[in-house]
Structures are given as structure tokens and as C-alpha cells.
């Protein structure tokens, strides 16, 4: 008998003679020369060649800003090629399918354990946490846990007669406003005053009452890069409890600072070493050094996260505990976070964050040395600083919004904005120095800033917007 038989007969089903070809495998009319352009706001009637589709999208995206020159965003804009390869290998894995992707789930668990140890949880093995799509989701989850714990303590009054409130500085990131709006919690905000641009411990404690679910402190304000005094807030709440019996937990929004302070400010006590700190969040995609979007939320113990919030789902054959606002999401970012933890270790993170802080401090000093700007912060906490114009007689006829527009002409994205209540009179430029923003790039920025100032001094403001100018930056 021959080793192989040819297809001499015709099968009953002629379709068996055809290959099942994926439409993506074939070119779409390669001789059509794209006689008609595909529509922008409805699906085209038919396919186009993959190379054509790529080029159309690629060319339009060239008009975006250069992410490496974006000094507005906190998110990571550079990773090693090996991390990119790992992410490409995992982009089709659904993070929620823990039974199907047990090793990805294990890497998530290890990251939680590493963060619990880094943030000095009393018993890292007992701390609980999860990955999220970013700090905003992590904050929502932490806020939900605070509200549910408060509701359990006030079951006789809530929801019939009590409305919960959350105390925070007016400088918090917008996700906290969203939380209060979405989950019907009263936001009690401590306003800015004078040269204090974040929460005041005594003022925060004064806003607390029996309906307060917690106090939010920010380790690294997005407005100016400064750390809020977490230990002092906890001390003020300790004193409040000794007088009134009210026990108010603290959540630390460590979106950026929770991945900076443990390496550069080891003596700063802000984390689970403070018994009143119930939960902490961070953005893995900010100073955690991972591409967007991954965040982390941790609670000091299982008691701090009400069990009723954790869903145990029998999904695709496995019992899966989950606490999240969404469901399906790629596992690539979690894998990249573990890669970065493994790759750098404590010493590597310390070196990377110190380099960013050195760049920020050096850049702030050079900008101050021009004599045209006044520093509000100096980049010595987060590698972030805010500056305003020096005022008369050093600066006349232009403002920070004019500077921001001029720098855009050279490719730099430096946000200009006004501060919130009660400092709406103060307009600033903010500079975020991330890994990949080198001292050489900082020197180029200084040169372009000096050019912008010369242009503005020569009368090139071109319609100064004033302090009420609306900024396009919301990071």
C-alpha cells in the first residue's frame, strides 16, 4: 500500500476539500489601488489589506504628542524590550481566568506579597490585596471597603438616618470625587491655605464625626509633588479618638509616592507601621515602572476588607475570589509588574527613583536660577515640582499658560493650571520627571524654556489667557 493516498474520490461534503481560511490571512483586492478611502465613522463595506490598515492608523497617530516629552503625565513611557516581549506574550490572557492561567494568578499573588512586605504590613502573609486597572479603581475599592466597614458599625442607623462622609484634602486626585459621587458619600475637603497646598491634620480631624468612614491622605500630591503628613494625620485622629471615642481609619493614596518613599525615604513613617492605616493603593504604571494600566490595592489584614465585598465565582471550572469593578482585562501588565520587581529589586528601584529625583532637583534649581520663576516645591519628595512666575518686576506681560503654549511649539507638554479652593489665584507649571527623562533631556528643556521666555519678553505672548485659562491637562 502507498504511504499516502491522494484525494481521488469526492467526499459527500465538498466543503471538506476547502481550507478554512481566516479572512485576515488574505489581502483585500491587492490591485484595487485604494480607489475609495474607507469611512471614518462607520464600518467600511469590505476589508482592506493589513498593511494598508496599519499605515492609515500609524500615520494618524503621528500627530499625537511624543510621550517621552510629556511632562504632564505620571504614567510610565519607557520599559525594557524584554518587558515588551513578555507583555506581547501575555496580552491574550484574561486576568480574570485564574483557573485557566494559574501561573499568571500566582505572579499577581507574589506581587501583593512583595508590596505587603515593602509597606511593612504587620503580617505580610495576612495582608490581602489585588491588582486593578490603575490607582483610580484601587481607590474606588478602598473607599468601598471603608464605607462597608462603617455601615457594619452603624447598622442601626444606616441607610435610614445616616449619610457617610469621607475627609480629604482639596488636592486629591479626581477619582476620589468620583467615588463620593458614584457611591453617595459626602466629600468633606480641607481647603488650601497660604503656602499649605495639601491636607492639614487638625483641620481634617475637625471635619470627622460619627458618620466619617475614613480620612484619605495622599503620598505625593499631583498638584505639586509633596507628601502629605500621614503620621501627623494619624496622630490627630488618635487624639480625636481619645477625646470622643470615634475611631476613624486612614487610607493612603500612594499612587506615586508608595513606590518612591520606600526606597528613598526609608525613615518616613507613612505606611502600615501606623496602626490607623487600613489600606494603601499605588499605581504600578506610574513609579512602579510598568506601562499603563495596572494598579494595586492592599489592606493590612482580612478584617480591613469586608468579606461580603469579595465575590467567589464559579467561573470556567474554578472557584475564584475576586474584588474588582471590572471583570475581563489583560494579564500582561501584572506579568510586567512582576518582571520589574524581579528585574530591579530594592537596590534597582532605589537607583532608578534616585536618578529621577536628582533630575527633578537639578532641573528645578536651573529654572529657579533664571530669576523668572518661583518654586513652590523642589522635587525632593516625588520627582515632581511646581513653579509659578516670579511676578513684578521680574515678569510682566505673560504668564504660565503662555509658557506652556510656547513649549508645545518645541514638542514639550508641560501643563499649566490653577490651584483649587482657596488658592485659585495661583497658576503654576508642573514638571513630572519619570524614568527615561534624563539629565540631557532636562538640559534641552531648560534651553527651550529660556527661548520661550525671550520670545515672551519680546511681546510674543499672542493672547495671554490669564489665570482663568482652561488647561487641557488632567493627570
Amino acid at each position: 500500500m502507498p504511504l499516502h493516498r491522494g484525494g481521488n474520490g469526492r467526499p459527500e461534503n465538498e466543503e471538506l476539500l476547502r481550507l478554512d481560511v481566516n479572512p485576515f490571512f488574505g489581502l483585500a483586492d491587492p490591485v484595487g489601488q485604494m480607489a475609495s478611502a474607507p469611512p471614518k465613522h462607520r464600518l467600511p463595506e469590505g476589508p482592506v489589506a493589513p498593511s494598508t490598515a496599519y499605515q492609515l492608523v500609524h500615520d494618524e497617530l503621528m500627530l499625537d504628542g511624543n510621550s517621552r516629552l510629556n511632562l504632564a503625565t505620571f504614567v510610565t513611557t519607557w520599559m525594557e524590550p524584554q518587558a515588551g516581549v513578555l507583555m506581547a506574550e501575555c496580552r491574550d490572557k484574561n486576568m480574570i481566568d485564574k483557573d485557566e492561567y494559574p501561573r499568571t494568578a500566582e505572579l499577581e499573588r507574589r506581587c501583593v506579597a512583595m508590596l505587603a512586605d515593602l509597606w511593612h504590613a504587620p503580617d505580610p502573609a495576612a495582608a490581602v490585596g489585588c491588582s486593578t486597572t490603575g490607582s483610580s479603581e484601587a481607590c474606588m475599592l478602598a473607599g468601598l471597603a471603608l464605607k462597608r466597614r462603617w455601615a457594619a458599625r452603624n447598622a442601626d442607623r444606616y441607610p435610614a438616618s445616616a449619610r457617610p462622609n469621607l475627609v480629604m484634602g482639596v488636592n486629591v486626585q479626581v477619582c476620589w470625587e468620583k467615588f463620593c459621587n458614584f457611591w453617595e458619600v459626602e466629600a468633606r475637603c480641607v481647603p488650601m491655605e497660604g503656602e499649605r497646598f495639601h491636607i492639614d491634620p487638625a483641620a481634617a480631624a475637625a471635619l470627622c464625626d460619627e458618620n466619617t468612614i475614613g480620612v484619605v491622605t495622599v503620598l505625593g500630591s499631583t498638584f505639586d509633588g509633596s507628601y502629605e503628613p500621614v503620621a501627623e494625620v494619624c496622630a490627630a485622629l488618635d487624639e480625636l479618638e481619645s477625646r470622643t471615642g470615634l475611631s476613624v481609619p486612614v487610607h493612603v493614596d500612594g499612587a506615586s509616592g508608595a513606590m518612591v518613599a520606600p526606597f528613598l525615604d526609608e525613615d518616613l513613617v507613612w505606611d502600615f507601621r501606623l496602626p490607623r492605616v487600613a489600606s494603601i493603593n499605588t499605581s504600578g504604571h506610574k513609579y512602579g515602572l510598568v506601562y499603563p494600566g495596572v494598579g494595586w490595592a492592599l489592606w493590612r489584614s482580612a478584617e480591613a476588607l469586608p468579606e461580603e465585598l469579595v465575590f467567589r465565582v464559579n467561573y470556567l471550572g474554578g472557584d475564584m475570589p475576586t474584588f474588582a469593578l471590572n471583570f475581563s482585562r489583560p494579564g500582561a501588565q501584572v506579568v510586567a509588574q512582576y518582571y520589574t520587581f524581579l528585574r530591579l529589586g530594592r537596590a534597582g528601584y532605589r537607583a532608578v527613583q534616585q536618578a529621577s529625583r536628582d533630575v527633578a532637583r537639578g532641573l528645578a534649581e536651573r529654572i529657579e536660577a533664571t530669576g523668572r520663576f518661583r518654586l513652590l516645591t523642589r522635587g525632593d519628595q516625588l520627582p515632581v515640582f511646581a513653579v509659578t512666575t516670579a511676578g513684578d518686576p521680574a515678569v510682566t506681560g505673560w504668564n504660565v499658560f503662555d509658557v506652556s503654549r510656547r513649549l508645545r511649539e518645541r514638542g514639550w507638554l508641560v501643563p499649566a493650571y490653577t490651584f483649587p479652593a482657596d488658592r485659585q489665584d495661583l497658576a503654576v507649571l508642573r514638571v513630572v520627571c519619570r524614568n527615561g527623562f534624563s539629565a540631557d533631556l532636562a538640559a534641552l528643556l531648560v534651553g527651550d524654556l529660556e527661548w520661550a521666555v525671550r520670545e515672551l519678553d519680546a511681546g510674543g505672548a499672542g493672547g495671554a489667557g490669564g489665570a482663568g485659562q482652561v488647561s487641557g491637562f488632567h493627570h
Side-chain angles (χ1 to χ4, degrees):
M1 294 179 62
L3 185 61
H4 298 290
R5 289 183 180 273
N8 295 326
R10 297 182 66 85
E12 293 182 8
N13 186 353
E14 191 167 343
E15 290 298 318
L16 293 179
L17 293 178
R18 300 176 182 271
L19 289 173
D20 184 12
V21 178
N22 188 319
F24 279 97
F25 292 172
L27 296 178
D29 192 10
V31 298
Q33 300 299 316
M34 290 300 294
S36 61
K40 292 182 179 179
H41 303 295
R42 58 182 173 83
L43 282 173
E45 292 302 321
V48 297
S51 57
T52 302
Y54 167 82
Q55 201 64 47
L56 287 171
V57 178
H58 172 81
D59 289 353
E60 186 162 349
L61 290 176
M62 288 195 300
L63 297 176
D64 274 348
N66 185 327
S67 64
R68 292 284 296 279
L69 301 183
N70 183 0
L71 303 184
T73 184
F74 284 76
V75 301
T76 296
T77 55
W78 182 87
M79 290 189 75
E80 291 176 310
Q82 292 87 345
V85 172
L86 271 176
M87 294 183 75
E89 292 172 351
C90 297
R91 61 192 170 198
D92 59 341
K93 295 183 180 181
N94 190 350
M95 191 65 229
I96 206 67
D97 296 346
K98 292 179 169 55
D99 191 58
E100 283 67 34
Y101 307 117
R103 301 321 301 169
T104 303
E106 169 61 15
L107 298 189
E108 179 188 29
R109 190 193 67 80
R110 292 180 192 175
C111 288
V112 168
M114 289 176 177
L115 290 170
D117 177 67
L118 184 68
W119 296 339
H120 299 97
D123 180 4
V128 294
C130 60
S131 66
T132 63
T133 54
S135 266
S136 293
E137 184 187 2
C139 291
M140 298 282 179
L141 298 179
L144 277 173
L146 290 174
K147 182 179 179 182
R148 194 59 61 90
R149 289 175 62 200
W150 171 86
R153 294 194 306 269
N154 294 274
D156 57 329
R157 301 188 307 121
Y158 180 77
S161 61
R163 186 187 181 200
N165 65 74
L166 183 66
V167 175
M168 64 195 85
V170 72
N171 57 298
V172 293
Q173 213 266 354
V174 69
C175 67
W176 289 106
E177 299 175 36
K178 289 183 180 179
F179 166 76
C180 290
N181 187 356
F182 294 169
W183 276 275
E184 298 179 336
V185 173
E186 176 192 356
R188 294 186 175 179
C189 295
V190 177
M192 294 181 178
E193 182 179 6
E195 295 300 301
R196 176 180 57 76
F197 304 122
H198 51 224
I199 201 168
D200 174 71
L207 290 175
C208 295
D209 58 25
E210 67 275 9
N211 295 328
T212 301
I213 65 174
V215 174
V216 174
T217 55
V218 181
L219 198 71
S221 172
T222 58
F223 279 90
D224 63 359
S226 62
Y227 294 158
E228 289 198 324
V230 182
E232 289 83 347
V233 170
C234 289
L237 295 175
D238 289 343
E239 195 275 332
L240 176 69
E241 183 174 6
S242 69
R243 287 189 294 104
T244 66
L246 292 174
S247 180
V248 180
V250 168
H251 172 78
V252 179
D253 182 350
S256 295
M259 292 306 297
V260 174
F263 306 109
L264 302 187
D265 309 295
E266 296 181 66
D267 294 332
L268 180 67
V269 178
W270 62 273
D271 52 17
F272 289 127
R273 286 171 288 184
L274 298 167
R276 198 167 290 276
V277 172
S279 50
I280 302 171
N281 71 273
T282 195
S283 290
H285 61 223
K286 292 180 181 174
Y287 287 94
L289 307 179
V290 175
Y291 287 137
V294 61
W296 300 92
L298 267 71
W299 291 262
R300 68 163 45 244
S301 65
E303 290 71 29
L305 176 60
E307 174 64 24
E308 66 208 55
L309 291 178
V310 179
F311 284 80
R312 300 189 179 276
V313 183
N314 185 357
Y315 186 65
L316 297 180
D319 179 64
M320 179 194 62
T322 178
F323 184 33
L325 296 182
N326 60 6
F327 205 63
S328 296
R329 58 188 172 91
Q333 282 80 2
V334 169
V335 171
Q337 184 73 86
Y338 182 72
Y339 164 85
T340 307
F341 284 168
L342 190 67
R343 167 79 172 89
L344 293 178
R346 288 178 180 259
Y349 264 97
R350 186 175 299 112
V352 170
Q353 311 300 37
Q354 186 64 59
S356 294
R357 181 179 283 182
D358 289 345
V359 169
R361 292 177 66 177
L363 179 57
E365 290 171 0
R366 293 185 66 176
I367 292 175
E368 184 181 43
T370 66
R372 315 305 295 278
F373 299 94
R374 177 173 69 89
L375 294 178
L376 276 64
T377 47
R378 314 188 73 88
D380 54 357
Q381 293 183 336
L382 285 190
V384 177
F385 61 92
V387 303
T388 189
T389 51
D392 294 340
V395 173
T396 57
W398 51 268
N399 56 36
V400 293
F401 297 99
D402 300 316
V403 176
S404 179
R405 282 194 294 269
R406 282 294 184 179
L407 289 175
R408 272 182 177 266
E409 297 176 21
R410 296 296 179 94
W412 300 103
L413 305 178
V414 181
Y417 53 88
T418 56
F419 272 27
D422 291 321
R423 288 306 313 269
Q424 295 97 328
D425 60 303
L426 182 60
V428 304
L429 294 166
R430 187 195 67 201
V431 178
V432 178
C433 298
R434 305 178 307 280
N435 179 43
F437 181 67
S438 63
D440 290 339
L441 285 174
L444 292 174
L445 174 61
V446 171
D448 286 338
L449 179 64
E450 292 172 342
W451 163 83
V453 168
R454 288 194 300 270
E455 288 284 305
L456 293 170
D457 282 343
Q469 181 85 10
V470 176
S471 171
F473 294 94
H474 301 282
H475 302 284

